Amino acid sequence: MLKDMGLKEFINQTASKEPVPGGGSIAALSGLLGAALAEMVANLTIGKKNYLEVEDEIKEIQSKFETLRFEFLDMIDEDAESFDLVMQAFKMPKETDEDKLVRTQKIQEGLKIAALSPLNIARKSFEMIDICEVVVKKGNKNAVTDGMVAAMMARTSVLSAILNVRINLSSIKDEGFVEEITEEIDRMEKEIFVKEERILKSVEF
Amino acid sequence: MLKDMGLKEFINQTASKEPVPGGGSIAALSGLLGAALAEMVANLTIGKKNYLEVEDEIKEIQSKFETLRFEFLDMIDEDAESFDLVMQAFKMPKETDEDKLVRTQKIQEGLKIAALSPLNIARKSFEMIDICEVVVKKGNKNAVTDGMVAAMMARTSVLSAILNVRINLSSIKDEGFVEEITEEIDRMEKEIFVKEERILKSVEF
């Protein structure tokens, strides 16, 4: 599993010709790094006397980041597996008409899973940027830049995941499916720019 | 060393109260992930008959990404070490006037190193986004989204590193030093938004 690799091993495999980990897994890892960094800010806030007023809120957020961290970790491999599914379907026999029909069906099914996997990453990171904003605004001021970096990692995760949704949608023939998801990702894409900009502009140096 | 950790171990330590790895190391890792992903696109282009015309150019770029990959890997730890240097200086004795003088000097020296370390990350990622643009434009079309994700990771690396430069500059008393670096990071910050937007808009889905 990719998630069990050493950092260097993961990087080396990314750089290699091997198609996985690709952009989808990196989108999940970007979300994961953001979650971990924002969780650090929460951990540096909890128990500090200057932040007693927000302690309950930050504790709740810390546990959300922790949950997201485990989810993103699994999504690194889920994305790679869904990519593999499509690759396997493409390798199916296409001798007879029935072969072709089954193969096309399997490819279409695989593409849907391969679109839903980064969509799940995009949704999680989109949801996460709002709690990054809370740690930037209310968390330990000494770690404010870490919260801001977390927000940028969330933004890049959303946009990267969306690209991977789009590339799969472009080959999917189920128009209803494509339309519904396109609507959702168009909205997320538009909003994530606004959200990140608001967070970055909320802190003065 | 952070770079020798397993992926999970690195993430767990990021999420913990431990101040390192912090935003600076994550900025280096963001650049590293971008370099690895863009190198994959280069590797998926080299040797393909449809891309013979650009093969020499892509080979040169592949080797640049490889070099960047090793540099970013080292910068993860460099940033953590420079942070540690400042922390150590803050812990120095401040009983006598001489103590105080030496301590202040050491803090100021440490802060300069702690500002230059993310500045180096920002410069590398800033330089990298231009070759990400080349792989997006000329590399294997099947991996175009991976090149775009790499560009986004470079952008987030630049902006995250710059935040870490600014936080250190804000405590540095050497005005000439602060002014010179501020000018450089202001320019990079402005330009990186333009560069990333141009790359993202250059591909139609």
Side-chain angles (χ1 to χ4, degrees):
Chain A
M1 304 261 271
L2 296 169
K3 69 176 181 183
D4 297 318
M5 284 184 175
L7 191 57
K8 275 191 225 165
E9 188 189 3
F10 182 90
I11 294 293
N12 290 345
Q13 187 166 328
T14 303
S16 78
K17 261 186 188 178
E18 289 292 317
V20 292
S25 294
I26 300 300
L29 183 50
S30 179
L32 176 56
L33 292 169
L37 204 53
E39 193 181 335
M40 176 187 84
V41 184
N43 280 325
L44 289 169
T45 308
I46 295 165
K48 291 274 157 69
K49 65 175 191 294
N50 289 341
Y51 298 92
L52 281 179
E53 234 172 71
V54 293
E55 174 133 334
D56 288 345
E57 189 179 359
I58 298 289
K59 271 186 180 166
E60 202 178 300
I61 285 176
Q62 183 274 336
S63 110
K64 280 185 189 167
F65 282 125
E66 198 177 11
T67 305
L68 281 165
R69 185 151 58 85
F70 291 117
E71 288 172 336
F72 282 125
L73 199 61
D74 286 335
M75 287 192 275
I76 294 175
D77 283 291
E78 271 163 35
D79 192 81
E81 284 157 20
S82 73
F83 182 87
D84 209 49
L85 215 61
V86 181
M87 288 300 101
Q88 291 308 320
F90 271 107
K91 285 177 193 158
M92 285 174 75
K94 43 182 177 174
E95 301 299 306
T96 66
D97 282 355
E98 213 205 308
D99 278 355
K100 284 180 193 164
L101 200 71
V102 175
R103 181 174 171 271
T104 304
Q105 259 176 3
K106 285 286 170 197
I107 291 173
Q108 287 294 312
E109 279 169 24
L111 284 168
K112 281 189 180 180
I113 296 169
L116 290 173
S117 158
L119 180 63
N120 195 19
I121 297 168
R123 283 174 180 158
K124 290 287 171 193
S125 292
F126 187 79
E127 175 193 317
M128 185 171 76
I129 203 168
D130 289 334
I131 49 174
C132 287
E133 187 167 12
V134 180
V135 295
V136 166
K137 283 193 178 153
K138 303 185 177 176
N140 191 325
K141 284 285 160 251
N142 293 330
V144 70
T145 54
D146 297 309
M148 293 164 83
V149 172
M152 286 193 265
M153 297 306 291
R155 172 263 195 195
T156 290
S157 173
V158 171
L159 295 178
S160 301
I162 285 177
L163 279 180
N164 282 275
V165 178
R166 289 199 199 282
I167 199 87
N168 286 300
L169 287 185
S170 68
S171 307
I172 292 174
K173 293 184 170 59
D174 179 344
E175 286 176 21
F177 181 89
V178 172
E179 204 173 302
E180 197 183 326
I181 294 183
T182 301
E183 206 175 296
E184 181 179 352
I185 57 179
D186 283 351
R187 182 185 53 76
M188 281 200 285
E189 190 176 75
K190 215 168 130 187
E191 287 181 24
I192 199 72
F193 281 101
V194 180
K195 282 176 190 280
E196 188 210 37
E197 195 185 358
R198 188 175 63 220
I199 295 171
L200 296 184
K201 288 196 171 161
S202 72
V203 183
E204 278 290 336
F205 281 105
Chain B
M1 306 261 270
L2 296 168
K3 69 176 180 181
D4 296 318
M5 285 183 173
L7 191 58
K8 274 190 223 164
E9 189 188 3
F10 182 91
I11 294 292
N12 289 346
Q13 187 167 326
T14 303
S16 77
K17 261 187 188 177
E18 289 292 317
V20 293
S25 293
I26 301 300
L29 183 50
S30 179
L32 176 56
L33 292 169
L37 204 52
E39 193 181 336
M40 176 187 84
V41 184
N43 280 325
L44 290 169
T45 307
I46 295 166
K48 291 274 158 69
K49 65 174 192 293
N50 289 340
Y51 298 92
L52 280 179
E53 234 173 73
V54 294
E55 175 133 334
D56 288 344
E57 188 179 358
I58 299 289
K59 271 186 180 164
E60 202 177 299
I61 284 175
Q62 183 274 335
S63 111
K64 282 185 189 166
F65 283 125
E66 197 177 12
T67 305
L68 281 164
R69 186 152 57 85
F70 290 117
E71 288 172 337
F72 281 125
L73 198 62
D74 287 335
M75 288 193 275
I76 294 175
D77 282 291
E78 271 163 36
D79 192 81
E81 284 156 19
S82 73
F83 182 87
D84 209 48
L85 215 62
V86 181
M87 289 300 101
Q88 292 307 320
F90 270 109
K91 284 177 193 158
M92 285 174 74
K94 43 180 178 175
E95 300 299 306
T96 67
D97 281 355
E98 214 204 309
D99 278 356
K100 283 180 195 165
L101 200 70
V102 174
R103 180 174 173 272
T104 304
Q105 259 176 2
K106 286 285 169 198
I107 291 173
Q108 286 295 312
E109 279 169 24
L111 285 168
K112 281 187 180 181
I113 296 169
L116 290 174
S117 159
L119 179 64
N120 195 20
I121 298 168
R123 283 174 179 159
K124 290 287 170 192
S125 292
F126 187 78
E127 175 194 318
M128 184 170 79
I129 203 168
D130 289 334
I131 49 173
C132 287
E133 187 167 12
V134 180
V135 297
V136 166
K137 283 191 178 154
K138 303 184 177 177
N140 192 326
K141 284 285 159 251
N142 293 330
V144 68
T145 55
D146 297 309
M148 294 164 80
V149 172
M152 287 193 263
M153 297 305 291
R155 172 263 195 195
T156 290
S157 173
V158 170
L159 295 178
S160 301
I162 285 178
L163 279 179
N164 282 274
V165 177
R166 289 197 199 283
I167 200 89
N168 287 300
L169 288 184
S170 68
S171 307
I172 292 175
K173 293 185 171 56
D174 178 345
E175 285 176 20
F177 181 91
V178 172
E179 205 173 299
E180 197 184 326
I181 294 182
T182 302
E183 207 175 293
E184 182 180 351
I185 57 178
D186 282 352
R187 182 186 53 77
M188 281 201 284
E189 190 176 74
K190 216 168 131 187
E191 287 181 24
I192 199 72
F193 281 102
V194 180
K195 282 175 190 281
E196 189 211 35
E197 196 184 358
R198 190 175 61 220
I199 295 171
L200 297 184
K201 287 195 171 161
S202 71
V203 184
E204 279 289 336
F205 282 106

